[in-house]
Amino acid sequence: MRTKNFQKQLVPYLFLLPGMIFLSVWLVYPMIQAMNISLHDWEIMPGRTSPFVGLAHYLQASTDPLFWSALRNTAFYALVTVFGQLTLGVSIALMVDRLIRGQVIFRVLYYLPVVTSWVVVSLLFKYLFNSSPAGFINYLFVDVFHILSSPVPWLNEANTAWVAIYSLGIWKGVGWTMVIILAALQLLPEECFSAASIDGANDFQSLIFIKLPLLLPTIILVFIMLTIGAVQAYIQVALITGGGPLHRTDVILSYMYYLAFNDLDYGYSSSLSFILAAIVFVISQAQLRLQRPIEMTAGGN
Amino acid sequence: MKKSHILISIVIITITLLSACTSTPAASAEQKPEIETVVVKETVIVEPTPLPEGPVTISFWHTYNETSPESKMLNETLIPMFEEQHPNIKIQALSVPYEDFHRKLVTAIAGGVAPDLIRSDIIWVPEFADMGALVPLDEAMSDFADYQNSVFPGPLSTNFWNGHYYGLPLDTNTKVWLYNKEMYDLAGIEAPAANISELDGQCQALKQADPDAYLFATDGTFAWTILPWIWSMGGDVLSPDMTTATGYLNGPKTVAAYELWLKLYEEGCMAPVVLGNGVDVWTGFAQDMYANLDNGPWTYPIIQSQFPDKKIYASAFPAGEGGSIDVVGGEDVVLFQQSQHQAEAMEFIRFLLSPEYQLKMAEVGQIPVLADAANSDFMKNHEYYPIFMEQLKTSKARPAHPNWSKMDQIITDAGQLILRKELPPQQALDQAAAKIDELLK
Amino acid sequence: MNRKIMERARQIGYTLLLALGAFITIFPFIYMISTSLKGPLFVFELPPQIIPKQPTIQNFINAWTSNRFGDYFFNSLKVTLITTILVVWFASMMAYAFARFNFFLKKPLFYLVMFFMMMPAMTLIVPQFILAIKLKVIDHLSGLVLLYIAQNIPLATFLLRGFIEQVPVEIEEAAKIDGASAWDIYWRIILPLSLPALATSAIFVSLGAWDEYVWAMTILNNPEVRTLPVAIAAFQGTHNSDWGLIFAASLTAITPIILLFIVFQKFFVKGISAGAVKG
């Protein structure tokens, strides 16, 4: 009787086992190791020792201007691209939702950037924003729209390079946001609207007071996922500007990568890994807390 | 063939097989000493070595772009030539982009999967030698002295570190002043500048004829691009004994060189691609945007493969107070300690230093280091090599220091700050010199 | 009457606006196709031509015949297939455990899964790299697969758990009475019933593995094991880039995905919205 019960208890753990082995070896252990590595001046060459340095790397991060600039860049990138994707995605979804015909076509077209590889689109935007007068964006702004008087060396300066990188980030994700909001819209119960229009509410009012509040949980979820995605930015920066010039377009991940694989400073780079993981932990905790109450208020309708 | 279980049987069988291999006519008598070396190694290593099951594969990393003429020559002509002469050796040539090369190499060494051989930029050899990653060829190759005497001393010296030679030179190069005659004709410029002081006037003339044209284009502020200017104008970056940069990198003549660059850039004489992005030097040259380049012999095959009708003219680098001095570049072949097939790898090294290889690669822009090959009629009558050989007589090599890569980065960054007008030249160079002094300790 | 006209106007207005937006969205693709058909002389031509003056397929020929393009394609394919199969399998097992069982460590283990779902993939690349060195999987496709599996399991588990929770338990109850073991239930009931969710997860994992660039670039050197994204990025030259060639290669890589997407777009849409909307 005892062993049978024990065996029964064991079953869920057995189902978890293969997945958990992978998680433990390649995610949990590296997380712990990130802390360990960050406490040393880690050497990867065979035959060399890695001296223990304690919290020196974390102190180094706190006084490293490149770290703070990377953090700032990441924050701004997240701010701009999340805002852009959200506003555009929601607006487009609202419009598509109202269409009688063509919903599917628009869904497909807007989603194309989402399914295209980051490597390909980064190279594409690098080409479009080329500094020469024949770079497409330069041609467009100078010769077609006459907004600029002369071609801009987009990728040579941080400020203008951000234009290219932000546009890419927004362009790539609008479709994703749109599709999710659209699905949420289509799940909204009809009764709310018919009741409202009987009461004489026009479309705009229906939008503000009914649709958006009902969409709120989804919008918040999308917001959080977009933010997490934005923090993960790496390929677009690495391929378009390489973090330059002079590390000015580095985001936290590209700076971390540079430290480890160009400077061979694995210890310091690991400390950044750990700091980033801690930030994600905080965000994920916040999300878990936020989701419960919102689901309850929205569901009550 | 199965693996043996006992160490001694491995050794015995290995000896037998190797002797079998060496009895073929292709192997030279020099193989015998090598066997001794290998056998000694076998008895020291504890893990069983897999028996040679067939051809041995040697990995060889290089930085030639996959679709480039050099790569094609290597893969389609030269390697098959070698493999025919050595049926038991297969060469696996890997193209690794230059900017990734150093990093991937370090990764590979750390991961225990370093290649057997690489075509290394000459500036990395001291660094890898210092790391203990390379085999001292003057000890490992019994016929090293033969090769030592057949190559130019300058390129050979780039392999020397701490009392030993860790490689052999593969190719050497330098840059010269390449000019666009069509643009000169348009602007009324009669001849390429013999002196740096002429450049200003030439730029004015050019701008009058075509305001969108640039007198000069280079693709970055690396040491490789700025050194000719610094040296020709009488400055330098490090003291001759490599103990300090202060007084040199921030010395008055070096500062003058950077100030000239700044002036050229501000006046629209230097193309914006120096800051990283824009029309690349070759396309710009071919499309008559750039009138002059300071570039190497590879320029010819590269431009001609994409723009076959463009003619390229060459002259010596414009002289300054210091003379007409450009930078010596080149590559060395080095052998890694981690290589499991050092004997075979050394066979390939010998092939790389052979007249056949050197002359064939000369056809695709690689200047030979073999004195005989370099003095051949082919080279003397060549379309563009003579001017490079001439420039080589006065070109200087960059400092051979294990920390050179880091110093290069500091110099590059300083140049960027100067051209972006974020720091005045003197200040930027003062800061850079201080940082480099740290690395020289 | 008024309403109808307003509605008509709205339909036309929205459609035009959306069409404009859609055009801007897909224009980069159009330009990419256009450039892939141009020779080097025309890649930076002023004014740029959408329809190339002298179209050529030389770029495609160069891309396909270049050293090992077929290898790169099949490497990506191999890695993607193995990763997808194993992830879907292991994640569905985990999802089943979380959906249908109560056990001591359930909450903390699920939080663990959620936590890693939110973690940016590259965050732990340094310790993962050092681990790969120790396990000697540097420069091997297995090094890719092992990490990809670990990285994809959290999200797949999350999606599948959500789905399985919605499946009615009666069938399983009946099977249990008939003496079916947990494995039987999982294999014969849960899996077949979860096919849509499995398909959706498979699509996401495949997309992720096919496009993964950073890890592949970090641990692979040998072109024999190179994957497509790394190969495409490597087409960039040190000093200049042959954009026609790069885009010809890129198009070759993304076209299968886009075609798959257009055919199965319903699945894609259902999948992401299911995960997000139900939350």
Side-chain angles (χ1 to χ4, degrees), chain A residues 44-46 48 126 129-133 153-158 245-246 248 257-258 261-264 266, chain B residues 99 102-103 106-107 109-110 130-131 272-273 275-279 289 338 406 409 412-413 416-417 420 422:
Chain A
I44 59 166
M45 285 304 189
R48 292 192 164 179
K126 185 174 183 182
F129 278 87
N130 189 283
S131 310
S132 88
W154 296 98
L155 305 181
N156 282 351
E157 301 292 333
L246 302 163
R248 289 174 191 171
Y257 193 88
Y258 171 84
F261 298 101
N262 277 69
D263 263 2
L264 305 180
Y266 295 96
Chain B
E99 56 266 1
H102 188 265
R103 170 172 63 81
V106 170
T107 308
I109 296 174
D130 196 50
M131 246 184 231
V273 68
L275 286 185
N277 196 257
V279 180
M289 281 173 63
Q338 284 179 17
K406 295 198 174 139
Q409 186 63 53
T412 306
D413 289 346
Q416 289 280 315
L417 288 172
R420 288 164 191 282
E422 295 178 20

Side-chain angles (χ1 to χ4, degrees), chain A residues 175-214:
Chain A
W176 184 84
T177 309
M178 181 211 46
V179 163
I180 294 189
I181 303 287
L182 189 60
L185 274 174
Q186 289 171 340
L187 282 178
L188 292 183
E190 264 305 307
E191 307 88 61
C192 293
F193 303 130
S194 18
S197 47
I198 289 175
D199 284 351
N202 69 19
D203 274 306
F204 190 63
Q205 288 169 325
S206 151
L207 168 69
I208 302 286
F209 294 112
I210 304 181
K211 278 192 189 163
L212 285 182
L214 283 176

